[in-house]
């Protein structure tokens, strides 16, 4: 999501070329707001749009930039901004491979990794370890809706299928079996939609639950995420995120659809597209439940996130 947002803004500069610095900043601000309001969860999108806007401002303020507000001069500046933005996106796309190499150090022979959410970064780490010949196992926690499917083999999940294809034993479980499985695992590894200022993360609903269980069982929790997912957000608690969710939906009666289906759909709000409300829901995992964060810049404790944000933004 952050990279997609940045790419959209670069495309905007290319096809809707402003002619002055103020027009550029106004255009980016307006369309960043449009991007954020177009998604139910704007946290990951905000990480990308805010970072790119900060990059534009710092570039325009650079002493080496010629910021005279003539059309000819600014066309050159705009072309430079677009070119540098494309280079930034290219470097960010390479971050996953770097994280895979760094995070792979945690996956040792004989270890068992518990994960959930189908994170592409976690998948890259596990793929890298498998390709190196590391002999390990994976416990994959599926969403409750998927876990109740008749597909007990887990073959419908891309990560599970790919790891099994590489000879990695994978157990697929439902959320209710998570605590039961902790005695068999070595670590928990998850991705994140956003890494907030205090070192906590915003991720797929259920991540907080996983981290709490792991903490109680004294199992380490590793978060793998690109640095462009670092976001200037400081939630004070689980319900202090800048999004609207109806995960806990109190009702005093069933709607017509639930009456037709019995009570099985109680508490599952439907979206206009037919999906369930909690399909894209997220929760906040506080830093005290996280052992370390792995990014393309290295391995960090949660307390170091604020310093990394200062490097990125200032």
């Amino acid at each position: 999501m952050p990279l997609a947002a940045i790419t959209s803004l670069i495309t905007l500069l290319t096809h809707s070329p402003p002619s002055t610095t103020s027009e550029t900043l106004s255009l980016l601000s307006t369309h960043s707001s449009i991007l954020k309001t177009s998604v139910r969860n704007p946290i990951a999108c905000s990480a990308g749009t805010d970072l790119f806007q900060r990059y534009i401002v710092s570039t325009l303020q650079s002493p080496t930039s010629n910021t005279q507000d003539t059309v000819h001069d600014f066309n050159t500046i705009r072309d430079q901004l677009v070119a540098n933005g494309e280079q930034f996106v290219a470097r960010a796309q390479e971050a996953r491979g770097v994280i895979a190499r760094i995070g792979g150090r945690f996956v040792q022979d004989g270890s068992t990794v518990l994960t959930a959410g189908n994170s592409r970064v976690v998948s890259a780490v596990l793929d890298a370890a498998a390709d190196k010949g590391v002999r390990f196992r994976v416990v994959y926690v599926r969403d409750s809706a998927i876990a109740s499917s008749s597909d007990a083999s887990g073959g419908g999940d891309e990560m599970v299928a790919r790891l099994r294809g590489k000879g990695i034993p994978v157990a697929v479980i439902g959320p209710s079996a998570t605590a039961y499985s902790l005695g068999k695992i070595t670590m928990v590894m998850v991705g994140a939609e956003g890494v907030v200022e205090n070192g906590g993360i915003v991720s797929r609903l259920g991540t907080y639950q996983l981290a709490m269980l792991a903490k109680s069982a004294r199992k380490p929790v590793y978060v793998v995420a690109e640095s462009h997912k670092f976001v200037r957000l400081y939630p004070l608690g689980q319900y202090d995120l800048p999004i609207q969710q109806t995960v806990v939906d109190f009702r005093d009666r069933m709607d017509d659809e639930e009456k037709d289906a019995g009570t099985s759909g109680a508490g599952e709000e439907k979206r206009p597209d037919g999906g369930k409300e909690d399909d894209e829901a997220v929760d906040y995992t506080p830093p005290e439940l996280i052992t370390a964060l792995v990014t393309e810049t290295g391995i960090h404790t949660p307390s170091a996130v604020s310093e990394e944000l200062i490097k990125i933004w200032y």
Side-chain angles (χ1 to χ4, degrees):
M1 180 72 76
L3 285 184
I6 293 173
T7 302
S8 297
L9 294 179
I10 292 174
T11 303
L12 175 69
L13 287 179
T14 303
H15 296 285
S16 301
S19 58
T20 66
T21 298
S22 59
E23 285 182 9
T24 299
L25 298 179
S26 177
L27 184 70
L28 291 175
S29 178
T30 299
H31 283 79
S32 292
S33 297
I34 293 173
L35 287 173
K36 294 176 187 178
T37 56
S38 67
V39 293
R40 293 181 61 245
N41 175 12
I43 294 175
C45 182
S46 296
T49 58
D50 293 352
L51 183 62
F52 187 69
Q53 287 183 87
R54 176 57 189 166
Y55 159 75
I56 293 295
V57 170
S58 62
T59 300
L60 292 174
Q61 291 177 341
S62 172
T64 59
S65 296
N66 178 10
T67 57
Q68 297 179 30
D69 281 343
T70 66
V71 173
H72 175 73
D73 290 336
F74 198 79
N75 283 339
T76 301
I77 295 171
R78 187 187 62 249
D79 292 342
Q80 180 184 1
L81 292 175
V82 171
N84 289 345
E86 291 172 344
Q87 290 179 4
F88 173 82
V89 170
R91 289 195 300 269
Q93 290 174 333
E94 296 171 357
R96 193 176 300 162
V98 178
I99 295 172
R101 292 193 294 272
I102 298 174
R105 303 173 191 171
F106 293 105
V107 184
Q108 302 292 325
D109 283 333
S111 62
T112 300
V113 182
L114 184 146
T115 188
N118 202 21
S119 164
R120 286 176 291 183
V121 187
V122 172
S123 181
V125 171
L126 299 180
D127 283 342
D131 293 341
K132 287 173 58 179
V134 180
R135 293 169 294 181
F136 64 99
R137 302 182 301 179
V138 174
V139 176
Y140 184 73
V141 183
R142 289 193 168 217
D143 292 340
S144 56
I146 301 175
S148 62
S149 169
S150 59
D151 182 14
S153 68
D157 181 86
E158 185 178 341
M159 179 195 295
V160 172
R162 187 169 57 254
L163 288 173
R164 285 176 173 170
K166 294 182 178 184
I168 303 300
V170 181
V172 180
I173 65 173
S176 59
T178 301
Y180 177 85
S181 70
L182 289 179
K184 296 180 177 292
I185 73 163
T186 309
M187 73 190 80
V188 173
M189 184 175 291
V190 295
E193 293 194 16
V195 180
V196 299
E197 291 185 52
N198 63 0
I201 64 169
V202 177
S203 193
R204 186 89 177 254
L205 184 68
T207 305
Y208 177 47
Q209 175 176 277
L210 282 181
M212 288 186 68
L213 290 170
K215 183 77 170 181
S216 67
R218 298 183 179 179
K219 303 291 184 178
V221 176
Y222 300 114
V223 176
V224 290
E226 305 94 330
S227 62
H228 59 254
K229 290 183 178 178
F230 284 23
V231 60
R232 293 193 304 171
L233 183 67
Y234 202 111
L236 300 177
Q238 194 62 236
Y239 311 117
D240 193 34
L241 299 177
I243 55 178
Q244 295 294 323
Q245 302 188 120
T246 56
V247 176
V248 181
D249 184 21
F250 294 104
R251 304 185 188 184
D252 60 3
R253 67 188 65 185
M254 291 192 298
D255 57 29
D256 293 338
E257 186 175 324
E258 289 173 346
K259 289 177 182 178
D260 293 339
T263 59
S264 60
E268 295 178 343
E269 185 74 14
K270 296 288 184 177
R271 299 201 310 268
D273 61 5
K276 294 176 182 175
E277 181 71 17
D278 61 356
D279 281 351
E280 301 173 3
V282 296
D283 57 27
Y284 163 65
T285 302
E288 59 267 22
L289 299 180
I290 298 170
T291 306
L293 296 108
V294 182
T295 76
E296 72 275 17
T297 62
I299 302 169
H300 308 282
T301 61
S303 61
V305 170
S306 58
E307 296 178 6
E308 290 299 309
L309 274 167
I310 289 174
K311 293 178 184 177
I312 293 172
W313 282 84
Y314 304 104

